[in-house]
Amino acid sequence: MHHRFSESMKQWSKISGKHFPAGDFPARGSIEYYARLANHDRARHDRRISESNAPLTFSDGNSTFRISSLGFLHYTTVTLGTPGLKFLVALDTGSDLFWVPCDCSKCAPTEGTPYSSDFDLSIYNPKESSTSKKVACNNSLCAHHNECLGSFSHCPYTVSYISSETSTSGVLVEDVLHLKTEESDQEFVEAYITFGCGQVQTGSFLDVAAPNGLFGLGFEKISVPSILSSEGYTADSFSMCFGHDGTGRINFGDKGSADQEETPFNMNLQHPTYNVTVTQARMGTALIDLDLTALFDSGTSFTYLVDPDYTRFSESFHSQIQDRRRPPDPRIPFEYCYDMSRDANTSLIPTVSLTMKGEGQLAVYDPIIVIPTQRELVYCMAIIKSTELSIIGRYDVDPNTILAKSRNSTTTPPAVAAGRADIETSFQYTS
């Protein structure tokens, strides 16, 4: 047995005729010598992780939590770079890019806000991370290479979101995302990923949502689940579970259970999203037959429906409410709002559930939102009329719902699956 950088290996390479570049034999004790050994160890370690097929989660744990003051979205803590820097990011199945505030020209403030006293918010600086690398315009993940000055210049990015005038722009960078295995014999993993150095944010990102970054979980190659799969760290899947108390979990490489029901995605191959079909809704005592297609989006706070589906939902809801409907209020985005009686009982609010294509059931956790006013409580049907597309948002989803996806097969279309255990409804995206 010979050390890979030993004199005997150098001689063997010469005798065998397999001449290696001089850099393959760094001087013993040099920085390059130890760096090469560490890189080799990391490669072997990552290969073991890939072969074990164990689910991964963030190094700080797989917990997620809903923050009402930040758009009712689910957030988690991720650690980037060397040394590691923590970010409180919103989880978003409706987009692909993971970005954090970085080299800011226009970012959400980290101090002097209602939320800054509760959370430590970070700003990423590529120069302060020893493992940070720029992503050049000739990189396959650079979608805006036509805006580049040259093949090796820094790759720019711009992403606009459904929310009005909400966007992020900057440059792409590569750095390590700190993860760990979900096993009793836990191992830590440093996975190189590509993400956005968000220099300019607009709209909701400046105050009410994702002030410290957004973690895109979509289908495209640049999303973190896609990168982890393509680099062999995990299976091409992830899962999210939302709990009753606003807490939840996220795992990468979670393949779900065999008893889950399935519903197919409505695939747009040019830009695939988690778009599903709802065939029926139960609104209290009424059944509504539907052929509704909607985007399943954890990054959208509420549910949005286009007509005629919105009208059918709202009229059915209104017909079963006994409280007085309030006149329209321009400050409230919901159309069907009511004065809550002092002796109001939540059982008077109609329960709502959706039947997906494939007969999977999705219970709507809370079909109303309660808004306190100076004199009384107001509650509204938590569905907003849309003129563009229908979206099933995070606030309304059953809190025992698991969202997951898998794209590791090309023989059948991707799908989202639903199945009820004793206390849990779960959605497994599989192909």
Side-chain angles (χ1 to χ4, degrees):
M1 183 177 293
H2 301 276
H3 192 280
R4 62 195 292 106
F5 297 145
S6 65
E7 289 298 322
S8 57
M9 283 296 292
K10 291 182 183 178
Q11 294 300 319
W12 176 82
S13 70
K14 294 178 181 179
I15 295 172
S16 65
K18 297 181 179 179
H19 297 285
F20 300 103
D24 280 356
F25 294 98
R28 184 179 181 85
S30 65
I31 294 176
E32 176 67 13
Y33 177 85
Y34 293 116
R36 292 288 297 281
L37 291 178
N39 287 338
H40 179 260
D41 290 344
R42 186 179 293 111
R44 291 185 68 248
H45 175 262
D46 292 345
R47 188 163 60 247
R48 286 203 310 273
I49 295 295
S50 174
E51 291 170 353
S52 71
N53 211 25
L56 295 176
T57 193
F58 301 113
S59 59
D60 286 271
N62 67 356
S63 296
T64 69
F65 36 93
R66 187 181 67 236
I67 304 176
S68 299
S69 61
L70 295 179
F72 290 100
L73 304 179
H74 261 248
Y75 291 79
T76 194
T77 302
V78 304
T79 302
L80 282 172
T82 307
L85 192 62
K86 298 182 189 299
F87 294 86
L88 179 71
V89 297
L91 300 166
D92 184 19
T93 58
S95 65
D96 301 290
L97 182 69
F98 167 36
W99 64 265
V100 295
C102 162
D103 291 347
C104 289
S105 296
K106 189 178 181 182
C107 298
T110 58
E111 298 178 351
T113 66
Y115 52 79
S116 59
S117 59
D118 299 323
F119 313 106
D120 292 327
L121 303 181
S122 303
I123 302 292
Y124 179 81
N125 185 342
K127 296 179 181 178
E128 293 180 356
S129 174
S130 62
T131 46
S132 179
K133 305 174 185 176
K134 83 170 188 178
V135 174
C137 287
N138 59 0
N139 189 292
S140 62
L141 294 179
C142 182
H144 292 265
H145 51 79
N146 58 323
E147 300 175 15
C148 295
L149 298 176
S151 297
F152 298 100
S153 59
H154 218 147
C155 175
Y157 83 86
T158 299
V159 180
S160 297
Y161 296 83
I162 294 173
S163 300
S164 178
E165 299 179 353
T166 296
S167 67
T168 176
S169 59
V171 294
L172 295 182
V173 294
E174 185 180 283
D175 209 339
V176 293
L177 175 65
H178 297 264
L179 304 167
K180 64 182 178 182
T181 57
E182 282 282 274
E183 292 181 325
S184 55
D185 186 17
Q186 206 168 69
E187 293 189 61
F188 287 89
V189 180
E190 294 182 353
Y192 270 96
I193 61 160
T194 297
F195 61 97
C197 168
Q199 299 166 335
V200 177
Q201 275 66 254
T202 65
S204 299
F205 293 148
L206 296 178
D207 45 27
V208 297
N212 210 213
L214 191 73
F215 201 93
L217 292 161
F219 273 100
E220 300 290 353
K221 292 188 296 182
I222 202 166
S223 74
V224 170
S226 297
I227 293 173
L228 294 179
S229 172
S230 64
E231 295 298 321
Y233 289 104
T234 64
D236 194 9
S237 60
F238 72 91
S239 65
M240 284 197 295
C241 175
F242 304 126
H244 275 285
D245 57 358
T247 62
R249 65 168 175 79
I250 182 170
N251 295 97
F252 301 102
D254 184 354
K255 297 180 179 180
S257 59
D259 61 349
Q260 291 176 332
E261 301 167 0
E262 292 187 354
T263 185
F265 286 134
N266 304 309
M267 292 300 292
N268 178 343
L269 296 180
Q270 291 185 334
H271 184 61
T273 60
Y274 305 123
N275 188 289
V276 297
T277 297
V278 181
T279 59
Q280 191 177 72
R282 177 178 290 277
M283 177 76 74
T285 58
L287 282 177
I288 307 172
D289 290 325
L290 299 166
D291 186 18
L292 164 66
T293 60
L295 174 66
F296 216 107
D297 185 8
S298 67
T300 296
S301 303
F302 302 104
T303 289
Y304 294 74
L305 296 179
V306 298
D307 265 335
D309 301 306
Y310 172 80
T311 298
R312 298 179 70 189
F313 265 79
S314 55
E315 290 181 350
S316 178
F317 180 87
H318 178 67
S319 68
Q320 300 179 58
I321 297 296
Q322 299 178 12
D323 294 312
R324 183 180 72 87
R325 184 180 174 188
R326 291 174 62 89
D329 187 332
R331 299 170 300 172
I332 299 176
F334 309 104
E335 183 179 4
Y336 284 79
C337 296
Y338 306 83
D339 291 326
M340 182 173 285
S341 304
R342 291 187 177 183
D343 59 350
N345 189 317
T346 55
S347 65
L348 298 177
I349 306 299
T351 59
V352 182
S353 64
L354 306 177
T355 300
M356 319 302 284
K357 189 175 182 179
E359 302 303 317
Q361 299 293 313
L362 172 62
V364 176
Y365 166 49
D366 202 343
I368 66 167
I369 186 167
V370 178
I371 304 173
T373 65
Q374 290 182 340
R375 296 183 178 181
E376 56 199 346
L377 290 178
V378 174
Y379 67 92
C380 305
M381 183 184 72
I383 299 176
I384 300 174
K385 187 175 183 178
S386 172
T387 58
E388 298 178 356
L389 74 163
S390 295
I391 303 171
I392 299 175
R394 168 61 202 101
Y395 182 82
D396 303 303
V397 174
D398 181 347
N400 293 316
T401 295
I402 296 176
L403 303 176
K405 75 171 176 67
S406 173
R407 304 159 299 181
N408 54 7
S409 169
T410 58
T411 57
T412 58
V416 55
R420 177 166 290 280
D422 292 337
I423 58 169
E424 192 170 80
T425 299
S426 55
F427 282 77
Q428 172 66 34
Y429 297 145
T430 181
S431 57

